[in-house]
Structure formats: structure tokens, C-alpha cells
Amino acid sequence: MSITVNGGPLVARPEIVREPSRSGIGEINKPISAWESVYRIGALRKALILLVLALVWEAYGRWLDNPLLFPPFTATVQALFENLANGIIPARTLISLRTLVVGYAIGIALAAVLTTIAIGSRIGTDLLETLTAMFNPLPAIALLPLALIWFGLGSGSVIFVLVHSVLWAIALNTHAGFRSVSKTLRMVGQNYGLTGLRLVKDILIPAAFPSILTGLKVGWAFAWRTLIAAELVFGVSSGSGGLGWFIFENRNQLETANVFAGLFFVILIGLFVESFIFANIEKRTIRRWGMQH
């Protein structure tokens, strides 16, 4: 049966006839290749990058042919497994991580206090901005000589510089996240009777969590590298320490493969924290909430 309009058949105009769309509604599904299915897995892409870097490392080490200056990747891995098997690196890592956790936790607590004060009044905001402008550009490791005078030859000196390296990065990102929360969202919380700490806990922190998580990542990176650098100096004074002291000892003994093994293990810990701990936090929070894709 044909449809007529004004006495004639209805004919589709050729200029508006559309082919089936390849995206959206009416999408034509095509089977993806094996390479595309593998390429979509982020972990495999990162593993491929690491493999390429390891091959470049191995090739350059063999081309240089000077293990005292730059050992190949295989020699570094062999030294790493030897020091893992004899328990030296695990023991030194435990010392480093124990100190790091204490300094990191204190830095987070102080940052929370400062940002809570800053978000509550203009004087608090001025205080945070002034302190960060004064102390954030100051390298944490530059404070180690003063820390040794104030706290002596102990873990307190290293914890002090760790707190300094963590505090300002977290405070700045958290405060920026709080300030980016819309006034409408704040008013909704206030209409429900939320004020003070309850407003911060129930409204501001969830809304600003992407910025907070960024601050935690930056603070962790600063703390980890500051710890290794501080242990290099602190170990010279006390004769003990963590991974930084392990690297320094082997450098003095010209055990370059062990030095590279220590540095490589520092990198592995950083990759683990970034790829598993922070990635899982991100997946369970801001990605699950639809705040990031």
C-alpha cells in the first residue's frame, strides 16, 4: 500500500536519505581484532612500555660493556634477587616504609587541620596561603641539617623532613578542591543543617575528592624521594638506615649492580603504590561516583 500526499505518492527526498549510523543507535557491530582487544587493556600497554625500557637498558649496558659504570638490566635483576633472598633489601625496605608511614600520616593530619581552618574563615585562608607561599618552595632535604640539630640522630629528623614534603602539597590541593565546590552544593548541605566539620565531612570532602587524591599522590611521591635522599645523608651520620643507606653503602663499595638494584626496587615500590593502591582508591571512589572516566 502506498501513501499519497496531495494526490501523489510520498517519495523520500534523496538528499535526506541517511545510511545506518556506525555509532550510537543502529550501530553496526564489527568483531575487533586480537590486537585491538589486547591494546584496550591498560595493564598490558604499561607492561609493554616497561618491557621496551628494559630492553633499551639491557642493550645500552651490553654496548657500554662496563658493569662498574652501568650494569645491564639482567645483572641488576640478578643482584636484586640475591639481595631479596639474603633478606637485606626486605629489612631495609621495612625500615624505610615504617618511617615513611609515620611522616606521611602526620603530614596528612596537619594538612587536614590547616585546610579545615582555611575553609572556615578568611583569616584561615590567608594563613594557609601565607604558609604555603613561604615553605612550599623550600626543599625538604635542605631542612635536614636543622632537623639533625633539633631532633638528633634518630628517625625524628627524617620524619620532620617527610612531614614538610607532604604537608604543603596535600594542603594546597585539598584547599583548591574545597574552593572549587559549587555554592549550590554548599547551600544544599546547609539546608540539611550541616555546618562545620559535618559540612566538610559530608559535602566538601566527597565533592573535592579528585583534588584531594591528587594531593595524596603528589605528597606520596615527594615523601618517597625525600626519604631516600634523607637516608643517604642520615645514614652517613648514624650508620643505619633504609634503602637509601643500602644504596650509599654499595656505592662506597663500588657494587654498582647492587646500587642499581636498590634504585630499581625503589622504582618498583613506586609503581606498586601508584598502580595498585592509588588506582584502587580511584576506582572505588571518583570513578565509581562518575567524577572521572
Side-chain angles (χ1 to χ4, degrees):
M1 183 179 66
S2 62
I3 303 175
T4 59
V5 177
N6 295 328
L10 178 62
V11 180
R13 295 174 58 187
E15 64 270 18
I16 63 173
V17 174
R18 292 178 173 85
E19 296 293 331
S21 175
R22 295 185 178 271
S23 62
I25 300 176
E27 180 179 357
I28 300 176
N29 294 322
K30 285 187 175 181
I32 61 175
S33 64
W35 166 252
E36 289 177 337
S37 61
V38 171
Y39 182 77
R40 293 184 180 184
I41 304 175
L44 291 179
R45 294 197 304 269
K46 294 178 181 178
L48 180 61
I49 293 174
L50 294 176
L51 178 61
V52 171
L53 293 176
L55 292 175
V56 172
W57 181 350
E58 179 71 17
Y60 180 73
R62 291 184 179 275
W63 175 80
L64 192 63
D65 195 21
N66 188 350
L68 187 63
L69 182 63
F70 194 93
F73 179 75
T74 51
T76 300
V77 172
Q78 181 180 355
L80 176 61
F81 279 113
E82 289 176 356
N83 286 280
L84 287 173
N86 59 29
I88 294 178
I89 283 185
R92 299 298 177 86
T93 303
L94 184 62
I95 295 173
S96 295
L97 292 180
R98 188 183 301 149
T99 306
L100 177 67
V101 168
V102 174
Y104 192 61
I106 295 175
I108 292 175
L110 292 177
V113 172
L114 281 177
T115 50
T116 302
I117 294 173
I119 206 66
S121 64
R122 292 185 177 179
I123 295 178
T125 300
D126 294 339
L127 174 65
L128 178 60
E129 291 177 351
T130 303
L131 290 177
T132 51
M134 290 171 57
F135 295 113
N136 192 41
L138 188 64
I141 198 65
L143 296 175
L144 187 58
L146 287 177
L148 291 173
I149 295 174
W150 293 340
F151 301 100
L153 301 177
S155 59
S157 301
V158 181
I159 291 174
F160 176 79
V161 297
L162 287 179
V163 171
H164 172 79
S165 64
V166 170
L167 172 59
W168 311 114
I170 296 179
L172 277 174
N173 281 275
T174 303
H175 187 245
F178 284 171
R179 296 183 66 178
S180 66
V181 178
S182 66
K183 292 184 178 180
T184 303
L185 195 57
R186 293 170 184 262
M187 293 173 62
V188 169
Q190 292 170 353
N191 288 338
Y192 278 95
L194 301 179
T195 57
L197 291 177
R198 289 190 61 194
L199 181 66
V200 172
K201 178 175 69 71
D202 296 336
I203 299 296
L204 297 184
I205 290 180
F209 198 73
S211 296
I212 296 174
L213 186 59
T214 300
L216 292 174
K217 289 182 180 180
V218 175
W220 148 257
F222 284 176
W224 187 226
R225 69 187 188 187
T226 299
L227 173 65
I228 301 301
E231 285 180 341
L232 286 170
V233 180
F234 177 71
V236 177
S237 302
S238 67
S240 63
L243 279 173
W245 177 239
F246 171 82
I247 295 169
F248 187 84
E249 277 183 319
N250 285 278
R251 197 273 297 181
N252 286 341
Q253 298 169 6
L254 297 180
E255 296 287 347
T256 310
N258 288 340
V259 173
F260 273 76
L263 293 172
F264 186 53
F265 199 68
V266 169
I267 294 172
L268 290 178
I269 293 175
L271 288 174
F272 173 79
V273 172
E274 180 70 26
S275 302
F276 290 94
I277 297 179
F278 282 121
N280 282 326
I281 293 175
E282 186 176 291
K283 184 187 300 183
R284 295 174 182 273
T285 54
I286 57 180
R287 289 189 181 180
R288 184 177 180 182
W289 300 338
M291 304 170 72
Q292 189 181 77
H293 301 289

